[in-house]
Amino acid sequence: RLPEHVQVDDPAALKKLAKKLERQQVPLRSDYGYKVSLFSHLHQYSRKSPPTLQISIPATVIHPSIVRLGLQYSQGIIAGSNARSVALLHTFKQVIQDYSTPPNEELSRDLVNKLSPYISFLSQCRPLSASMGNAIKYIKKEISNIPSQCKEEEAKGKLQACIDSYINEKIILASEAISKYAIEKISDGDVILVYVWIHSERKFRVIVVDSRPRLEGREALRRLVKKGIRCTYVLISALSYILPEVSKVFLGAHALLANGYVMSRVGTSQIALVAKAYNVPVLVCCETYKFCERVQTDSFVSNELDDPDDLIVTRNGKSHLENWQTVKSLGLLNLVYDVTPPDFVDLVITDLGMIPCTSVPVVLRVKNVDQ
Amino acid sequence: MPGADKETELSERIEAFLSELKRCGSGAGSLRGSAETARETTSLLRRITAQARWSNAGDLMEIIRKEGRRMTAGQPSETTVGNMVRRVLKIIREEYARSRGSTEEADQQESLHKLLTSGGSSEDNFRQHFTHLKANVIEAINELLTELEGTTDNISMQALEHIHSNEVIMTIGRSRTVEAFLKDAARKRKFHVIVAECAPFCQGHEMATSLSKEDIETTVIPDAAIFAVMSRVNKVIIGTQTVLANGGLRAVNGTHTLALAAKHHSTPLIVCAPMFKLSPQFPNEEDTFHKFVSPHEVLPFTEGEILSKVNAHCPVFDYVPPELITLFISNIGGNAPSYIYRLMSELYHPEDHEL
């Protein structure tokens, strides 16, 4: 089944979505600005018009902490797949805490139904990431597995414990395991290029590559400087200049697709490409909970379009793109993700060990068998 | 004395030109295009030829070489200055040879045969005096100036041969040559242009607004999305700051990434460069190839706490090797990168490569 957020150009799908949201009493968010024709199948929202504008306070159907979470997503306050998943899981814990089974209903079925409008609302605020999708699948499975004889308090406690263990195992401990593996790969005196950040300690120099418009590298830079690591900072356009100095490239991933492609921040595929041209090894760090069964070969079919106004910049008091809306043939494209082909990636470091990119479906199969 | 006045006026002009050059190199692209610089250099050289004191070609060449060295030292990255000086030197040699009556062929070819059979240097000192040399040289420089005026139009005229309808063309930053090229094609054909903004100066924004005013469907993308959208691009057309002697480019930063992405997708990379950008330099000189500007553009001073502990770099140029380039379009037509060495031998004399 095709997810809704890649069918924006299909009016029938849009009508279906509108009906479903009306039924769940979730506001529908409208697209903003001129969309580049190549991407007319995706949404493009503006940060200035959050979906919470249309909700009455206090919200009757949607839990207030979900509203807050949605707002944090849409404004970009919580960003990055790990942060988003952890925030989502914490909020679900809160929701479960406040939940009380209505009479004549079973917790295992009713709670799942209660969660659906919340999930629709969150995906209106910002399309769900692969990691969030996996987390939600896990929770729904856990909820439906609650035996009907279980008392409410006990069930709630069990669910909370499940969520806690998921966060602990899949996210926190996974990152530590990845760091341990990654450290083995770093030798003294190495010069490492990072695009999304990573934590570890050894004597090495780090080059942080950043890109407009998000400039997330600056946060990474601050953390690294605090740890006392010698750092260099460049923009992605200076990549060819800086790569001859680099011994290894570490990249983060948003999701790993079943055909071995790495989906991550836009610009990652470019770094992998240029690193390959200079024969620099590329290592991707990714927790297993981000592996997903989707397949994708290019960055167009499924992506996210961020607020196009982010590209506007004011230099020397002049900003050329200020009135881009008024110009008919001008469009701004602010992509969030791109896919890196597996031939550019030399190694993927996961909490299960170090695997090549092509072993992703094997891991997925093993995980499914476990569950 | 009228002579002294003319000389001081001349040196004043040269000084003014030098200070303009030094100021312009602040890295926000050039405040003036390379075509303007080329024109100003050539008119200045014409003025020097007209007003300076010289009695034979050798003297004139010495004077021009001296002034040329000063001008290139003022802004080493602006190679058009040096290129124009070399063109003028070649003009002087040609006119001298013509006045002497010897055929031009014999002087040109630096062949192995000539080296072996000439036996000792047969160079003449250019010391003979010819009365009409000054007028001839000035006329030839005027021709050069006319050629310079027409370069952009010559390049734009070839646009329709290279752009078909419903194409998606990608470009980076802002190049006046490419802008004129695309606008000329847009008069007859409909196509789509994607402009990479080229941080940190974001000159791509200006290019995009200018193109969209001519009703060309334009999209601005951040540099990070170059590889992501490359699979839908049919052609990449870029401008450059300099064309190097091996057929490579010294272009704005981010161009190498663009060229690699185009190669990966087998998309043709077309460079629109007028002939005055062709320079006899090779890219091996590590120290002089790159130019850096204030890292404030990359990491602003507002990030005070980390600024002192971090190295930030802001290079202006990128080297693009000739294997990644498909075609050069210049005012004399289209050429492959492997032909550049030949064009160079026609434009410049080998002894002038080092000013």
Side-chain angles (χ1 to χ4, degrees):
Chain A
R1 228 177 21 101
L2 206 55
E4 176 278 321
H5 73 272
V6 296
Q7 289 191 69
V8 178
D9 54 346
D10 181 6
L14 281 180
K15 257 206 308 208
K16 226 171 95 179
L17 171 73
K19 270 208 236 148
K20 170 174 140 201
L21 290 181
E22 213 185 306
R23 207 174 5 105
Q24 298 174 333
Q25 293 178 4
V26 170
L28 176 68
R29 198 173 179 195
S30 46
D31 282 354
Y32 164 75
Y34 169 71
K35 241 188 286 179
V36 178
S37 55
L38 286 167
F39 292 95
S40 53
H41 59 289
L42 299 174
H43 283 297
Q44 183 171 277
Y45 298 130
S46 162
R47 202 160 294 134
K48 294 202 199 80
S49 61
T52 46
L53 282 178
Q54 298 138 319
I55 300 185
S56 59
I57 304 209
T60 41
V61 175
I62 306 179
H63 195 279
S65 44
I66 297 269
V67 176
R68 185 177 71 177
L69 185 66
L71 203 55
Q72 283 171 328
Y73 281 166
S74 70
Q75 302 294 65
I77 299 172
I78 296 187
S81 54
N82 276 351
R84 284 164 74 189
S85 311
V86 169
L88 177 72
L89 290 169
H90 280 303
T91 316
F92 274 178
K93 268 174 64 177
Q94 179 75 31
V95 166
I96 293 177
Q97 182 77 12
D98 297 338
Y99 169 76
S100 50
T101 327
N104 305 335
E105 289 285 352
E106 262 196 45
L107 181 140
S108 54
R109 244 169 276 157
D110 186 57
L111 184 54
V112 174
N113 290 342
K114 276 270 168 9
L115 288 181
S116 300
Y118 300 167
I119 296 171
S120 309
F121 174 72
L122 289 177
S123 60
Q124 283 291 298
C125 295
R126 195 175 159 190
L128 298 181
S129 65
S131 49
M132 287 164 72
N134 285 346
I136 291 175
K137 256 196 276 192
Y138 173 75
I139 291 185
K140 283 191 175 169
K141 197 170 68 78
E142 287 300 312
I143 294 176
S144 35
N145 282 349
I146 301 251
S148 37
Q149 315 90 307
C150 215
K151 278 214 276 284
E152 188 174 311
E153 285 310 314
E154 205 186 311
K156 281 204 223 175
K158 215 155 86 149
L159 285 174
Q160 310 256 20
C162 273
I163 294 183
D164 276 333
S165 75
Y166 187 84
I167 296 180
N168 206 22
E169 272 173 45
K170 303 281 180 175
I171 304 179
I172 299 181
L173 288 181
S175 324
E176 290 186 16
I178 290 178
S179 307
K180 283 221 183 64
Y181 285 127
I183 288 180
E184 290 173 27
K185 285 293 173 188
I186 302 178
S187 6
D188 273 339
D190 262 352
V191 177
I192 300 191
L193 190 121
V194 263
Y195 192 48
V196 191
W197 78 296
I198 180 183
H199 37 200
S200 76
E201 311 100 22
R202 237 188 231 194
K203 284 261 162 313
F204 51 86
R205 201 157 66 84
V206 173
I207 298 179
V208 178
V209 175
D210 207 4
S211 73
R212 282 195 74 238
R214 284 180 166 230
L215 293 174
E216 292 166 331
R218 295 214 182 138
E219 187 52 46
L221 192 65
R222 281 185 211 113
R223 287 191 236 213
L224 287 169
V225 168
K226 240 192 252 167
K227 292 245 167 105
I229 301 180
R230 269 170 58 214
C231 296
T232 307
Y233 179 78
V234 288
L235 287 180
I236 200 171
S237 39
L239 200 55
S240 311
Y241 165 69
I242 207 88
L243 253 168
E245 292 179 33
V246 176
S247 20
K248 290 184 188 75
V249 176
F250 277 87
L251 302 171
H254 169 89
L256 235 62
L257 304 174
N259 56 344
Y261 279 64
V262 180
M263 182 178 212
S264 56
R265 269 280 169 271
V266 69
T268 310
S269 53
Q270 215 160 290
I271 295 188
L273 169 81
V274 184
K276 188 90 184 175
Y278 282 92
N279 278 326
V280 176
V282 175
L283 297 93
V284 172
C285 305
C286 181
E287 298 91 341
T288 42
Y289 87 102
K290 289 183 188 163
F291 286 19
C292 77
E293 275 133 13
R294 265 187 325 117
V295 288
Q296 198 174 323
T297 49
D298 60 27
S299 321
F300 292 84
V301 290
S302 176
N303 208 327
E304 205 181 307
L305 295 177
D306 210 354
D307 193 347
D309 289 334
D310 285 345
L311 287 182
I312 304 179
V313 68
T314 314
R315 286 182 54 86
N316 302 334
K318 269 195 305 186
S319 134
H320 292 275
L321 294 180
E322 222 161 11
N323 303 317
W324 70 276
Q325 302 265 35
T326 55
V327 184
K328 195 167 51 88
S329 26
L330 185 58
L332 302 184
L333 186 61
N334 191 355
L335 282 179
V336 180
Y337 300 118
D338 72 6
V339 281
T340 309
D343 24 326
F344 291 161
V345 178
D346 293 304
L347 188 66
V348 178
I349 304 179
T350 69
D351 38 310
L352 293 180
M354 304 195 244
I355 58 173
C357 241
T358 42
S359 298
V360 171
V362 176
V363 171
L364 280 172
R365 191 130 167 269
V366 165
K367 264 194 351 171
N368 284 341
V369 166
D370 279 344
Q371 289 169 350
Chain B
M1 273 178 55
D5 281 343
K6 271 210 283 184
E7 276 188 21
T8 44
E9 195 204 328
L10 183 60
S11 31
E12 263 174 38
R13 273 186 197 263
I14 299 178
E15 286 302 327
F17 184 63
L18 273 174
S19 50
E20 270 283 335
L21 275 180
K22 282 191 191 136
R23 226 180 322 125
C24 278
S26 63
S30 16
L31 288 179
R32 47 172 44 201
S34 338
E36 261 182 74
T37 316
R39 263 199 297 273
E40 290 214 17
T41 315
T42 320
S43 3
L44 195 58
L45 291 172
R46 182 179 57 184
R47 199 175 272 275
I48 295 177
T49 316
Q51 293 179 352
R53 286 223 201 100
W54 52 278
S55 55
N56 54 43
D59 284 342
L60 178 59
M61 279 169 45
E62 265 314 304
I63 295 174
I64 294 211
R65 219 175 260 145
K66 192 176 104 211
E67 296 302 330
R69 272 193 290 259
R70 270 179 73 202
M71 290 196 280
T72 44
Q75 187 61 252
S77 66
E78 191 60 59
T79 42
T80 39
V81 174
N83 295 346
M84 287 297 106
V85 171
R86 292 182 185 97
R87 289 288 288 271
V88 170
L89 286 173
K90 175 109 192 235
I91 287 177
I92 299 174
R93 283 177 201 265
E94 279 177 1
E95 291 302 324
Y96 183 78
R98 200 176 296 149
S99 306
R100 259 190 44 182
S102 55
T103 54
E104 290 158 45
E105 299 295 323
D107 295 294
Q108 230 78 305
Q109 316 287 38
E110 278 274 316
S111 68
L112 208 51
H113 173 84
K114 191 162 158 257
L115 269 173
L116 291 172
T117 55
S118 59
S121 51
S122 59
E123 55 175 59
D124 48 327
N125 297 341
F126 295 93
R127 291 287 158 209
Q128 243 177 308
H129 175 78
F130 292 108
T131 32
H132 298 293
L133 188 60
K134 190 175 206 165
N136 288 347
V137 169
I138 292 187
E139 198 188 313
I141 296 183
N142 282 338
E143 274 176 32
L144 179 59
L145 273 170
T146 341
E147 185 196 316
L148 285 178
E149 315 241 320
T151 39
T152 318
D153 287 331
N154 278 338
I155 295 180
S156 319
M157 278 190 328
Q158 304 173 50
L160 282 175
E161 296 171 23
H162 296 282
I163 300 179
H164 61 74
S165 47
N166 284 332
E167 273 210 89
V168 179
I169 295 179
M170 186 156 192
T171 183
I172 186 169
R174 178 166 193 219
S175 161
R176 285 170 192 73
T177 318
V178 174
E179 209 181 307
F181 190 80
L182 293 175
K183 283 183 182 173
D184 200 274
R187 285 188 295 131
K188 299 272 172 60
R189 304 244 159 101
K190 275 249 150 291
F191 53 89
H192 190 123
V193 177
I194 300 182
V195 181
E197 64 178 8
C198 191
F201 302 109
C202 295
Q203 291 178 302
H205 294 186
E206 266 184 76
M207 176 87 154
T209 31
S210 157
L211 286 175
S212 55
K213 285 210 180 74
E214 305 286 326
D215 267 344
I216 303 178
E217 284 283 331
T218 322
T219 306
V220 178
I221 61 166
D223 299 328
I226 288 179
F227 186 74
V229 304
M230 183 57 83
S231 49
R232 293 293 172 275
V233 174
N234 300 117
K235 277 194 184 76
V236 180
I237 302 183
I238 55 174
T240 175
Q241 203 259 357
T242 309
V243 180
L244 300 164
N246 65 344
L249 300 179
R250 182 202 274 164
V252 77
N253 66 341
T255 314
H256 189 204
T257 311
L258 183 63
L260 282 171
K263 186 87 183 185
H264 181 262
H265 288 100
S266 298
T267 311
L269 177 69
I270 298 178
V271 180
C272 290
M275 271 295 111
F276 62 80
K277 287 195 176 164
L278 182 55
S279 162
Q281 286 176 333
F282 279 92
N284 337 18
E285 300 117 35
E286 271 308 313
D287 295 339
T288 49
F289 183 82
H290 279 293
K291 174 174 141 183
F292 297 88
V293 289
S294 164
H296 158 76
E297 310 281 351
V298 167
L299 197 59
F301 293 121
T302 43
E303 303 278 337
E305 320 97 51
I306 48 177
L307 202 57
S308 49
K309 307 190 186 108
V310 164
N311 293 336
H313 295 291
C314 189
V316 180
F317 298 125
D318 244 357
Y319 169 61
V320 182
E323 306 86 56
L324 300 175
I325 302 170
T326 320
L327 187 69
F328 278 100
I329 295 182
S330 67
N331 43 317
I332 57 177
N335 305 106
S338 43
Y339 191 65
I340 293 291
Y341 82 97
R342 194 81 194 142
L343 291 174
M344 243 198 7
S345 70
E346 286 175 24
L347 291 178
Y348 312 124
H349 195 273
E351 286 180 15
D352 295 331
H353 286 187
E354 286 293 319
L355 274 182

